[in-house]
Amino acid sequence: MPIHLDRRRFLRDTGLLLAGAPLSRALNAQTTDDYRALVCVFLFGGLDCHDVLIPADTASWNDYARLREPLLAQYGTNRLRSKLLPLEGAISSENGSRSFALPPELSGLKSLFDRGRLSWVGNVGPLVTATNRASLEARSVPLPPRLFSHNDQQSVWQASAPEGAQYGWGGLFADALIGSKLNRDATFTTVTGGGADLFLTGRQNVPYQVNVAGPTEFELAELLDVEANSSLTAFSAMLDARKAASGHVLVRDTADAMIRGFSANRDFARALAAAPNPDNPFPSTGLGLQLRAVARTIAARQALGVRRQLFIVGAGGFDSHSNQARTLPQLMQTMDTSLLAFNNAMEDMGLGNSVTLFTASDFGRTLAVNGDGTDHGWGGHHLVMGGAVQGGQILGTVPPATLGHDQDAGGGRLIPTIAVDQYAAALGIWLGLSQAAVSEALPNLANFSSQPLTGLFRT
């Protein structure tokens, strides 16, 4: 069988392979400039949204506790109603007189909500068009592909298509910035700290991947059987010579991609070396280290020549089919401390109003329990954080803690009431993109007649 080489994909993937760069120094407070960035925190596995925005008024809590009794018993005192952290913010009219609370592990996010620096968005998820239980059962509307599948729904969230998609909406947003004079070039417009590159891959844009572990020896020369004492400068010169001498397009393209990778690594290392040091610590967790790397990159924004950036970081382990009461609290604690540290870093840098962080996940989970865990869902509740956010709000609809309502796909799987496209559009408009550019990146946006998140950001 002949082998088909996708030259564009080869070059893109080769560039990503060489894009990892060491981080050298950190950041400190500095004045704001005309800069904006979006940071996506992707929670891999499917966050149990029913254990994030917890019903707190008496009637809703009673419904919730009855359905979740086996799981709440395993949580012990951590999920007593008296231990929950009440959210005393503005609640959208769709939620009526109901009230909500956070679990005790999210005390840092509760403080940001109270300070007006964080809002929750209820029941977000992939949709092709508005859908409810009746239209789902009648099969009268098109549905997102391959619902409830981890890999596919991660891809649909990031790229509006199942596994195998090529371009993410973050990367398409970045494509729209090319040539806008906001960024000197495209190299550092999108940055990934966790390897989740689909979200940030555009038709023209390729994400730059940072090394979150700190300074390391660059081992590529050794891997390619170049003498260990060969300098990168000498190795680059060798690549230049190979490129000039070869008559084979693949050899030339490979050498060119490597040269660009080395050049980007040098530029990135120099920019970070000149960036100021941080005053606040980050937790030494995977998510904490990734967000620390994002903060360091933002500190070096002027040397990197960027005024608009998009980032993605990731945390795994949220597929809580079993042992949820044991594993999920620790995961949420890690998320809480990491996001709070990042917020503090942005405020220390004077960029609190310039950087917006938001969460995403494969899907929510079922309200019904399976014994000691929950199963794959659809819609989920997410947070948007930053000084530009009109904080202290719960936007959108949080469906009731019952089964069989209009947005229940079965077992408490929430049929989303806010599409990922609508969620993403609000973020893209805040970043400074035109409505046309946002619509081009989000293929299903035209199927929705309104934008439910018009009050998400301060005007």
Side-chain angles (χ1 to χ4, degrees):
M1 177 180 290
I3 298 174
H4 173 69
L5 289 178
D6 184 332
R7 180 168 172 261
R8 180 180 180 83
R9 176 173 291 185
F10 173 81
L11 290 174
R12 183 187 71 202
D13 292 346
T14 304
L16 284 170
L17 174 66
L18 298 174
L23 300 170
S24 50
R25 295 182 59 196
L27 42 94
N28 201 345
Q30 52 184 295
T31 58
T32 30
D33 53 14
D34 182 19
Y35 174 83
R36 288 192 179 188
L38 289 174
V39 181
C40 175
V41 177
F42 205 97
L43 306 173
F44 289 94
L47 173 65
D48 180 8
C49 60
H50 302 291
D51 200 27
V52 174
L53 282 182
I54 300 175
D57 59 277
T58 300
S60 298
W61 168 261
N62 288 341
D63 289 336
Y64 177 83
R66 183 169 56 254
L67 284 168
R68 288 220 153 184
E69 182 180 5
L71 191 55
L72 290 176
Q74 294 167 48
Y75 272 110
T77 60
N78 279 343
R79 288 299 180 273
L80 292 176
R81 188 179 172 198
S82 60
K83 292 288 187 74
L84 302 180
L85 308 176
L87 296 176
E88 304 292 350
I91 299 174
S92 62
S93 58
E94 295 95 329
N95 297 307
S97 60
R98 296 158 60 209
S99 61
F100 301 91
L102 299 180
E105 299 84 25
L106 299 182
S107 59
L109 300 184
K110 152 77 169 164
S111 71
L112 294 178
F113 182 90
D114 291 344
R115 289 177 52 204
R117 299 188 62 82
L118 181 151
S119 281
W120 294 92
V121 181
N123 201 16
V124 185
L127 287 172
V128 177
T129 189
T131 305
N132 58 24
R133 185 181 179 187
S135 59
L136 176 68
E137 291 177 347
R139 300 183 180 180
S140 60
V141 293
L143 298 176
R146 302 173 193 169
L147 287 169
F148 317 125
S149 159
H150 283 294
N151 290 352
D152 291 301
Q153 293 311 297
Q154 290 165 14
S155 181
V156 171
W157 251 96
Q158 297 178 37
S160 305
E163 188 174 22
Q166 290 182 289
Y167 310 120
W169 52 265
L172 297 175
F173 282 2
D175 283 351
L177 296 170
I178 295 174
S180 68
K181 300 183 180 180
L182 287 170
N183 291 9
R184 191 167 58 209
D185 61 47
T187 306
F188 304 108
T189 298
T190 58
V191 177
T192 172
D197 56 276
L198 172 61
F199 171 65
L200 296 178
T201 300
R203 292 184 177 88
Q204 302 173 67
N205 186 81
V206 176
Y208 182 85
Q209 184 168 346
V210 297
N211 181 348
V212 302
T216 60
E217 293 296 325
F218 196 88
E219 299 176 351
L220 180 63
E222 191 173 47
L223 289 171
L224 294 179
D225 200 28
V226 178
E227 291 182 8
N229 61 358
S230 296
S231 68
L232 291 179
T233 301
F235 187 60
S236 295
M238 181 269 288
L239 288 172
D240 272 324
R242 288 285 180 89
K243 177 183 173 183
S246 177
H248 197 293
V249 64
L250 192 57
V251 172
R252 292 200 306 270
D253 285 345
T254 302
D256 192 52
M258 288 182 173
I259 292 165
R260 289 198 308 271
F262 289 141
S263 177
N265 287 340
R266 286 194 294 268
D267 290 345
F268 190 77
R270 288 171 186 152
L272 261 66
N277 293 319
D279 289 327
N280 64 296
F282 281 79
S284 297
T285 60
L287 182 57
L289 292 174
Q290 289 176 71
L291 286 171
R292 178 172 173 262
V294 171
R296 286 180 160 188
T297 305
I298 290 173
R301 65 198 180 281
Q302 292 175 333
L304 295 174
V306 288
R307 290 165 57 192
R308 295 292 184 274
Q309 285 186 290
L310 297 97
F311 299 85
I312 189 168
V313 299
F318 289 92
D319 191 18
S320 52
H321 284 289
S322 60
N323 296 316
Q324 178 165 320
R326 183 173 60 85
T327 60
L328 187 58
Q330 183 57 52
L331 290 169
M332 290 203 286
Q333 181 69 49
T334 296
M335 179 174 73
D336 184 78
T337 55
S338 299
L339 268 58
L340 185 62
F342 183 78
N343 174 82
N344 293 341
M346 294 303 99
E347 288 188 312
D348 289 347
M349 293 167 62
L351 291 173
N353 295 340
S354 302
V355 179
T356 294
L357 179 149
F358 64 97
T359 58
S361 190
D362 314 17
F363 33 62
R365 305 193 75 82
T366 56
L367 177 61
V369 300
N370 62 19
D372 64 345
T374 55
D375 295 321
H376 296 181
W378 188 351
H381 313 319
H382 290 283
L383 67 87
V384 185
M385 181 184 93
V389 174
Q390 185 69 45
Q393 300 185 87
I394 300 174
L395 298 168
T397 301
V398 181
T402 59
L403 304 180
H405 55 74
D406 286 346
Q407 297 303 128
D408 181 14
R413 291 180 177 88
L414 301 182
I415 302 170
T417 44
I418 294 177
V420 171
D421 296 68
Q422 294 169 300
Y423 185 62
L427 298 167
I429 293 296
W430 174 81
L431 189 65
L433 299 180
S434 68
Q435 184 63 56
V438 166
S439 297
E440 185 175 348
L442 301 167
N444 296 317
L445 187 60
N447 298 337
F448 300 90
S449 59
S450 64
Q451 171 51 277
L453 299 178
T454 52
L456 179 58
F457 291 101
R458 303 181 192 277
T459 55

